[in-house]
Amino acid sequence: MAAEDYRICSFTGLKIHKPTEDLIKWNTVTAILFLALGGLMGFLIALTRWPSVHYLSLQNYYRYLTLHGIDALLLWIIFFEIGLVYFTSAVLLNTRTVIPWAGWTGYALMLVGAVFVNFVVFAGKADVMFTSYVPLQADAVYYLGIIIFAVGALTCYGHFFANIIQAKRDGAYKHSLPLGSFGLAAACIIAVLTLAHGAVIMIPVFFWSMGLIHYIDPGTYRLIFWGLGHPSQQINVCAMVSVWYMISAFTVGGKPVNEKLSRTAFVLYIFFINVASEHHLLVDPIFSNWHKIINTSYMMHLAVFASMVHAFAVPASVEVALRNQGYTRGLFEWLKKAPWSNPAFSAMALSMVLFGFLGGITGVIFGTEQYNIIRHNTFAIPGHFHGTVVGGTTLAFMGFTYLLIPYIFRRELVMQGMAKWQPYVYGIGVAILSISMMSAGSFGVPRRHYDITFSGAPFSFTFDPAIDMFMSMVGIGGILAAIGGVMFILVAMGSIMYGKRLAS
Amino acid sequence: MADEKHGDIIEAPGVLVLSFIFLILFVIIWFAHLKWLLEIWAVE
């Protein structure tokens, strides 16, 4: 590989391979565009669940809810993760991406699949929501789009392994990968298992939608779908935790206090985090009670233990780094003097708090068998996963974008004042949204439901009047989060397109 | 992020204390929340 294909980053000193840089740029920009679309859908849904606004029509509500799940949960996050795949398997290792055309093939497949799915849902032929539970049936193009996207994503996740094997041959690392790359390796291992489940169930459903197969058993579909649906969130957890470590390293020079322990925690994720998906199947007759209890009441906590290790290790890395910089007065001078106005750092800090308290703790509680039976299919569950995926993963990825803009795009951030406030506005909005959803869910408000007054139904049901307040807070939290989201899009896309060019 | 052990938990006493504060807060909030839930669900 010619030396002119590389440049040295003036901020990090990392050697950056030009084709790798291009792959990161395209995946990141595509991710941000899908976040904008998914976020817009989320905003409209929040306004609809606000009882006194109830904005969308019945038909558009379920259509936009499907798109919100696809664009915000799947496309934004996976495109961004593919950018991370190349960052951690090449840039962080000071090496190159092997066979770059494989990366572009994966990207093209993902984009084609994403466009297919968006198009068919907008056309009103796939109002099946993110889970697309059988016997709900979408147009064949929807399933085809999902399959094409998954093949593309699998190509890119596989590319990670090709890169690190080549990096080892090139002597880019000796014993084990740096922690940021190690976390992404865990994410890629889970991704391969997850996408294999996707193939097992989505291919027959695709044939079913074309009339080539006449029956798909709903129980079997649910069982295999959740081998795809929930573990895909565990890919996000691994990628998010890696991003925490990397932001700590890049913003304050943080190094894990005990790297072996952090690595062990990632390995625990690979082995145990997927069993968390069993709570989707607690009322299904497929598994025995023993199986359900052992997974949801015992095994799940090994993954929880891993999260607690990271929850301690990342802030500890920040504290040690800041103490080494001289902030040693008392117990908390380092906390006071931390770079809170750096949006990458504040996004990471808020992401940890929101993920841990809103998403993590509630996930442990809701995932437990006895409790899950009460909360399942209530609004509390979206409250939980907006804490994990939005407050946690999305906010962490937003923070990392603020680093990618100077490091990879070589642009200066525009509207820096707005960038400084963005993580706080978004984080507070998501916190209000998530807490309100969980509170309303405690009163039995169902998730996904367009009309919880059941108007026109032959029976009536009246919720506790307190839910009006919580459902209104969902709308207010949604508006605040949408403002934070718009601020992010303006700063990120404004910087990428119009930011001052930085010398390499 | 070199592959080595960089220190010990005692090097991060602030985080250790914060963890205990959060733990105590969590226990208080959790039990207050539980009491609230029992009222909502009218458990005798």
Side-chain angles (χ1 to χ4, degrees), chain A residues 395-425:
Chain A
L395 198 48
F397 287 2
M398 285 174 168
F400 202 68
T401 306
Y402 291 125
L403 296 180
L404 287 179
I405 288 169
Y407 298 173
I408 299 295
F409 291 90
R410 280 184 277 170
R411 299 276 188 167
E412 199 174 275
L413 281 186
V414 296
M415 297 180 272
Q416 294 190 12
M418 188 192 281
K420 201 187 295 181
W421 286 104
Q422 186 275 328
Y424 298 100
V425 175

Side-chain angles (χ1 to χ4, degrees), chain A residues 182-456:
Chain A
F182 191 87
L184 253 292
C188 290
I189 291 168
I190 299 174
V192 171
L193 298 170
T194 302
L195 293 169
H197 281 91
V200 167
I201 197 59
M202 282 299 162
I203 291 170
V205 175
F206 170 57
F207 290 140
W208 171 67
S209 68
M210 290 197 299
L212 299 174
I213 292 176
H214 297 293
Y215 179 69
I216 299 281
D217 177 60
T220 308
Y221 177 87
R222 281 169 58 83
L223 172 68
I224 305 174
F225 175 84
W226 284 115
L228 163 73
H230 209 97
S232 59
Q233 309 319 313
Q234 322 312 346
I235 308 168
N236 306 342
V237 171
C238 284
M240 174 191 67
V241 173
S242 296
V243 162
W244 290 347
Y245 282 112
M246 288 192 287
I247 292 179
S248 165
F250 288 132
T251 56
V252 296
K255 291 170 179 161
V257 286
N258 189 328
E259 194 155 334
K260 277 185 186 150
L261 188 62
S262 297
R263 287 172 191 276
T264 308
F266 277 118
V267 174
L268 284 174
Y269 276 155
I270 297 172
F271 284 115
F272 296 106
I273 205 164
N274 282 1
V275 299
S277 49
E278 189 145 337
H279 62 246
H280 293 282
L281 306 163
L282 289 177
V283 293
D284 288 24
I286 295 169
F287 291 125
S288 67
N289 280 339
W290 180 88
H291 200 279
K292 290 170 183 172
I293 291 167
I294 202 79
N295 279 309
T296 57
S297 300
Y298 295 94
M299 295 302 180
M300 184 177 74
H301 296 288
L302 292 167
V304 174
F305 169 71
S307 289
M308 292 175 79
V309 168
H310 295 306
F312 198 95
V314 179
S317 75
V318 172
E319 180 175 355
V320 171
L322 290 173
R323 281 182 181 277
N324 287 340
Q325 289 170 27
Y327 302 120
T328 51
R329 195 147 33 92
L331 275 175
F332 298 120
E333 191 195 10
W334 65 275
L335 194 61
K336 206 172 144 190
K337 296 287 171 63
W340 294 107
S341 58
N342 178 340
F345 180 86
S346 58
M348 173 202 69
L350 284 169
S351 162
M352 280 195 287
V353 171
L354 295 180
F355 178 84
F357 279 84
L358 295 183
I361 291 170
T362 58
V364 175
I365 296 163
F366 296 168
T368 306
E369 190 192 22
Q370 297 83 348
Y371 209 77
N372 190 273
I373 295 291
I374 301 169
R375 289 282 176 103
H376 204 80
N377 280 339
T378 70
F379 210 23
I381 304 303
H384 148 70
F385 67 69
H386 278 75
T388 56
V389 183
V390 190
T393 308
T394 295
L395 198 48
F397 287 2
M398 285 174 168
F400 202 68
T401 306
Y402 291 125
L403 296 180
L404 287 179
I405 288 169
Y407 298 173
I408 299 295
F409 291 90
R410 280 184 277 170
R411 299 276 188 167
E412 199 174 275
L413 281 186
V414 296
M415 297 180 272
Q416 294 190 12
M418 188 192 281
K420 201 187 295 181
W421 286 104
Q422 186 275 328
Y424 298 100
V425 175
Y426 189 75
I428 292 169
V430 172
I432 294 171
L433 180 79
S434 171
I435 292 169
S436 308
M437 283 173 157
M438 287 190 275
S439 303
S442 298
F443 286 94
V445 172
R447 67 187 290 188
R448 294 178 165 175
H449 213 291
Y450 176 69
D451 178 15
I452 57 170
T453 63
F454 301 102
S455 54

Side-chain angles (χ1 to χ4, degrees), chain A residues 24-34 107 409 493 496:
Chain A
I24 297 171
K25 281 181 182 175
W26 279 87
N27 278 289
T28 305
V29 168
T30 311
I32 294 171
L33 295 177
F34 279 115
Y107 172 79
F409 291 90
M493 292 308 292
I496 289 167

Side-chain angles (χ1 to χ4, degrees), chain A residues 55 115 128 368 408:
Chain A
Y55 179 67
V115 170
V128 291
T368 306
I408 299 295

Side-chain angles (χ1 to χ4, degrees), chain A residues 476-491:
Chain A
I476 292 166
I479 289 172
L480 205 53
I483 292 170
V486 169
M487 288 164 76
F488 171 73
I489 306 286
L490 286 177
V491 173

